[in-house]
Amino acid sequence: PETELLVERALQCAGRSAVGQLRLVDVGTGCGAVAVALAMCLPEALVFAIDTSQAALDLAAQNVCRFGVSARVRCLRGDLLSPLPGPVHMIVANLPYVARDELAQLAPDVLEYEPLVALDGGSDGMAIINRLLAAVKDHLLPGGSVHLEIGCGHGAALAQLVQREHPQARARVFADIYGLDRVLSLEF
């Protein structure tokens, strides 16, 4: 449900984001579920799916083919936004956001099926998200947006970071079905 909220928020902004073909990126694509969902809901969009893991990209490529969107989803290996061939209208990411000392408290099914690298967000859970936020402006087209799935206690801290680093951006935090911070959206 948390990642569905991320996709829903991105889709709400998609209609306002582009003149011509919408170009977007799913950073930390993993199995490609977000990239595939966006490509299926936005039939004119070009989607870049980025991950550092070749195994994750191989799985994402299988899912992209399975759902018939391989002509519009490009899987790229690299760190955060580095492999992008050019700027995009929208950046979407479900990056690791669990604080390292909280990993042991996760549900057994999460720990059993998710690789540690997909969960570990550093000492405060925001290390990778902070790196991405520092880089977004250089990879966004004018009027672009960013949508990030975040940890339930990260909304205020990330909103303050955005206010400092991107004062021109309008930042909003959206709650999940439990009323917890879950998605940070920035509109430039």
Side-chain angles (χ1 to χ4, degrees):
E2 294 85 359
T3 305
E4 288 176 18
L5 178 63
L6 173 68
V7 171
E8 288 170 5
R9 182 66 194 137
L11 290 172
Q12 288 171 357
C13 287
R16 309 190 296 265
S17 295
V19 175
Q21 184 181 40
L22 179 67
R23 295 169 50 93
L24 56 96
V25 59
D26 172 24
V27 183
T29 198
C31 70
V34 171
V36 167
L38 292 171
M40 291 183 72
C41 292
L42 301 167
E44 300 301 318
L46 174 60
V47 181
F48 298 98
I50 297 176
D51 207 291
T52 59
S53 164
Q54 188 59 53
L57 286 174
D58 291 345
L59 180 57
Q62 290 174 15
N63 287 326
V64 164
C65 287
R66 179 180 301 148
F67 288 94
V69 291
S70 57
R72 295 182 299 102
V73 178
R74 300 206 177 111
C75 294
L76 306 172
R77 185 173 184 193
D79 184 50
L80 299 177
L81 299 167
S82 64
L84 271 179
V88 294
H89 297 97
M90 184 180 296
I91 297 169
V92 180
N94 181 4
L95 297 170
Y97 57 76
V98 179
R100 192 164 289 135
D101 63 353
E102 296 173 359
L103 288 169
Q105 300 166 8
L106 291 174
D109 61 324
V110 173
L111 290 172
E112 187 174 333
Y113 292 104
E114 291 291 335
L116 185 61
V117 70
L119 301 170
D120 187 350
S123 62
D124 64 358
M126 296 184 289
I128 300 168
I129 292 172
N130 288 342
R131 285 183 49 230
L132 178 67
L133 286 172
V136 295
K137 192 69 172 135
D138 294 335
H139 296 277
L140 275 178
L141 291 164
S145 63
V146 178
H147 309 279
L148 308 173
E149 185 171 327
I150 62 172
C152 62
H154 297 158
L158 288 172
Q160 287 177 351
L161 174 72
V162 168
Q163 188 175 18
R164 278 194 319 273
E165 291 195 20
H166 305 291
Q168 73 284 11
R170 180 173 153 236
R172 293 178 60 196
V173 176
F174 294 88
D176 63 18
I177 59 174
Y178 304 107
L180 303 171
D181 294 349
R182 193 53 65 193
V183 172
L184 172 68
S185 289
L186 288 70
E187 294 182 50
F188 288 86

